[in-house]
Amino acid sequence: MEIIKKALDEGRKMLSEHESKQLLTNYGIPVTKERVVMDIEQLKEAASDIGYPIVLKAHSPSIAHKTEKNLIRLDLRNEEEAVEAFNELMQIMEGADKAVLVQEMIKGPRELVVGLTRDPQFGPCVMFGLGGIFTEILKDISFRIAPLERHDALEMMQEIKTHKILGEVRGLPPADTDTLADILIAVGRIGMDNPEVKEIDINPLILDGSKPVAVDALVVLEPRDPHPSI
């Protein structure tokens, strides 16, 4: 995969958020509408195309944890707010490759997490669970070894303690479990197809009504040993 090769050739061990989502898109996983911009004119054009409200995030191949570093501006409702937030982020960031990711604002009270980790013994393993700020607190997750069949993906959804969040709750429509299953299967396929992918973290995967959308994503890489021991 060209995105992965380019990052490894540059000596990087992770993809940027935008690159990570490009990889997900190649496997049919729904992601936010977004665009990388480097100046005010590009910002205005992107915001106009995407439509307000928008989110701005600091964008650089070396930035992983944007929330902890105060590098995200949410729910910007007009050009004035967007320009102010853009200038703030560009001032905070360092380096020649700094830019800003302009992203549609996805709202939904139900946040999920989907991930992949490469186990030394079992190989790529897919994870599903409750996302957002509750991922670390509750650790309500389920695992399967890739590749996944559809029944594996559907079982994973029922195994988390909070599985009722996927049903019709408080006036919200039931989650599109078919699309969720497709996402879990696709994440497993990414791990099977790309041995350089060490981890995938899609968090949050927000239910926009019933439809899951990857709002943030991170792919961690590990170069393959060209001379593995026998």
Side-chain angles (χ1 to χ4, degrees), residues 43 47 51-57 72-89 100-105 107:
L43 167 70
Y52 290 98
I54 58 170
V55 175
L56 296 190
K57 298 179 179 180
I72 299 177
R73 300 293 182 270
L74 298 168
D75 205 14
L76 303 168
R77 298 186 165 272
N78 54 54
E79 191 174 283
E80 185 182 352
E81 290 181 6
V83 169
E84 183 181 347
F86 175 87
N87 288 331
E88 279 179 10
L89 291 174
V100 168
L101 187 62
V102 184
Q103 182 179 298
E104 67 175 318
M105 179 83 188
K107 294 180 179 178

Side-chain angles (χ1 to χ4, degrees), residues 110 158 162-177 207 209-210:
R110 294 177 291 180
Q158 290 303 309
T162 50
H163 65 88
K164 287 184 179 176
I165 198 174
L166 302 176
E168 194 172 344
V169 57
R170 295 200 172 186
L172 297 168
D176 181 348
T177 50
L207 292 179
S210 63

Side-chain angles (χ1 to χ4, degrees), residues 93-211:
M93 283 186 287
E94 298 173 355
D97 60 351
K98 62 184 181 179
V100 168
L101 187 62
V102 184
Q103 182 179 298
E104 67 175 318
M105 179 83 188
I106 298 289
K107 294 180 179 178
R110 294 177 291 180
E111 298 189 355
L112 307 169
V113 60
V114 171
L116 179 128
T117 184
R118 193 171 292 278
D119 184 85
Q121 183 177 353
F122 299 111
C125 299
V126 179
M127 181 264 285
F128 172 79
L130 191 65
I133 61 169
F134 298 109
T135 305
E136 293 297 323
I137 299 167
L138 298 180
K139 292 185 168 50
D140 187 9
I141 52 177
S142 173
F143 280 94
R144 284 293 185 286
I145 299 170
L148 270 63
E149 300 290 341
R150 184 159 292 270
H151 68 86
D152 296 315
L154 294 171
E155 283 174 3
M156 288 175 76
M157 295 177 214
Q158 290 303 309
E159 284 175 1
I160 62 170
K161 300 182 193 75
T162 50
H163 65 88
K164 287 184 179 176
I165 198 174
L166 302 176
E168 194 172 344
V169 57
R170 295 200 172 186
L172 297 168
D176 181 348
T177 50
D178 283 337
T179 300
L180 274 175
D182 291 340
I183 292 170
L184 291 168
I185 293 166
V187 166
R189 222 167 62 241
I190 295 173
M192 298 295 291
D193 293 350
N194 305 280
E196 306 90 348
V197 171
K198 183 182 179 184
E199 295 172 21
I200 300 172
D201 185 25
I202 306 172
N203 187 18
L205 181 78
I206 292 181
L207 292 179
D208 182 14
S210 63
K211 296 290 183 185

